[in-house]
Amino acid sequence: MPDDLPDMKLFDAIYGLRATRIYEDRPVPDEVLDSILEASTMACSSGNTQPWEFVVVTDPEQKRRIKAEMVDAFATIDAERAQTEAQLTDSSGRSVTGRAAVEHLDRVPAIVVVCWNPDRGIRMKGEYAENPDGSLRETREIPGGRGVSLFQACQNMMLAARAWGVSSLFTTFFFLRREAIKEILGIPPRIFMECAVFLGYADEKLGRPRRIPVEKVTHRDRWGGSWGTPRG
Ligand SMILES: Cc1cc2nc3c(=O)[nH]c(=O)nc-3n(C[C@H](O)[C@H](O)[C@H](O)COP(=O)(O)O)c2cc1C
């Protein structure tokens, strides 16, 4: 582990992490990005396959092209939402639809597009078959699937970023324009683009995250068993 890492208490990082959609127009230094990415790769993964690959987008023209795709995708999305207006608003009164993230996408200093590489990730025979265009399709149900080994790397990335004073957003919305964005980024057909993490210096004021209390989502010993209040 490098000895020049910032010192932040783990629980401060966890309790202060917020989904940040508006960023200052100020780059994150490459050394900081490098440290954040290294922390990400310390995550656990299925069979230690480390199936992640990162495309780090900092180029304004690439961001502009991605934004154009997403603006187009968001033009019709609201009619399809299953959640109510109230459910789509968070504790800071912000919309969680991702529209703000799309509107400000070209100002995100670094967009880390997180991909799953089957050449490392596939663990069982017959998990995937190849399509004529070189992409792969699932042919056998995999416990947890691809995301499970990537999401923990993303969480590490966001917590490490926070220690560096860098805010973040986890998102899966590039899926709405998966083929076009893979094309823009030159991601080969057989590589799965799964999610993305925005990194940058926040240009919005956010308090602590608000969450459903633990006792409402936890069952002791069997479903319905009361967790109680062990911390008094
Ligand atoms: C699987 C997943 C997908 C998400 N997709 C989006 C998204 O497409 N756009 C967006 O703005 N935020 C997205 N988010 C961020 C959530 O909206 C955010 O984590 C949630 O509202 C809690 O925010 P908070 O920690 O600031 O309270 C996603 C989060 C997860 C875990």
Side-chain angles (χ1 to χ4, degrees), residues 68-87:
E69 289 296 335
M70 294 306 295
V71 167
D72 193 47
F74 265 65
T76 52
I77 198 88
D78 284 337
E80 295 171 41
R81 295 194 192 281
Q83 289 176 289
T84 63
E85 198 65 38
Q87 287 170 326

Side-chain angles (χ1 to χ4, degrees), residues 38-201:
E38 185 172 283
S40 173
T41 64
M42 292 298 123
C44 58
S45 57
S46 171
N48 198 24
T49 48
Q50 303 171 54
W52 40 72
E53 305 260 349
F54 309 112
V55 181
V56 183
V57 182
T58 58
D59 177 52
E61 177 56 18
Q62 288 290 71
K63 286 187 247 175
R64 194 196 56 72
R65 293 177 69 195
I66 294 172
K67 180 176 175 177
E69 289 296 335
M70 294 306 295
V71 167
D72 193 47
F74 265 65
T76 52
I77 198 88
D78 284 337
E80 295 171 41
R81 295 194 192 281
Q83 289 176 289
T84 63
E85 198 65 38
Q87 287 170 326
L88 290 169
T89 305
D90 78 1
S91 57
S92 306
R94 300 176 305 160
S95 163
V96 298
T97 59
R99 190 169 289 283
V102 170
E103 272 166 29
H104 297 89
L105 198 145
D106 47 344
R107 273 182 49 182
V108 182
I111 300 173
V112 183
V113 177
V114 182
C115 302
W116 187 83
N117 188 340
D119 299 336
R120 291 197 298 279
I122 289 179
R123 302 205 59 208
M124 309 292 274
K125 287 180 183 150
E127 265 183 34
Y128 288 86
E130 193 166 315
N131 296 317
D133 67 354
S135 64
L136 302 183
R137 65 179 185 281
E138 264 179 45
T139 43
R140 176 173 172 170
E141 202 175 345
I142 318 300
R146 296 179 297 272
V148 170
S149 289
L150 299 181
F151 297 159
Q152 0 221 349
C154 292
Q155 189 73 11
N156 267 11
M157 199 186 298
M158 295 190 292
L159 291 172
R162 198 166 139 60
W164 281 105
V166 173
S167 296
S168 59
L169 177 74
F170 178 91
T171 173
T172 48
F173 64 6
F174 288 161
F175 202 73
L176 294 169
R177 282 290 186 277
R178 185 179 48 193
E179 294 315 319
I181 293 174
K182 280 182 76 173
E183 175 86 32
I184 290 169
L185 300 177
I187 298 172
R190 65 184 274 101
I191 301 292
F192 289 82
M193 184 183 78
E194 294 291 330
C195 53
V197 178
F198 291 11
L199 295 171
Y201 301 102

Side-chain angles (χ1 to χ4, degrees), residues 8-53:
M8 176 178 255
K9 285 187 183 155
L10 177 62
F11 281 97
D12 283 341
I14 291 173
Y15 280 76
L17 189 63
R18 293 301 308 270
T20 304
R21 301 183 177 87
I22 305 174
Y23 296 91
E24 290 177 9
D25 197 3
R26 170 159 72 100
V28 179
D30 270 0
E31 314 82 77
V32 172
L33 288 176
D34 195 60
S35 164
I36 292 168
L37 291 166
E38 185 172 283
S40 173
T41 64
M42 292 298 123
C44 58
S45 57
S46 171
N48 198 24
T49 48
Q50 303 171 54
W52 40 72
E53 305 260 349

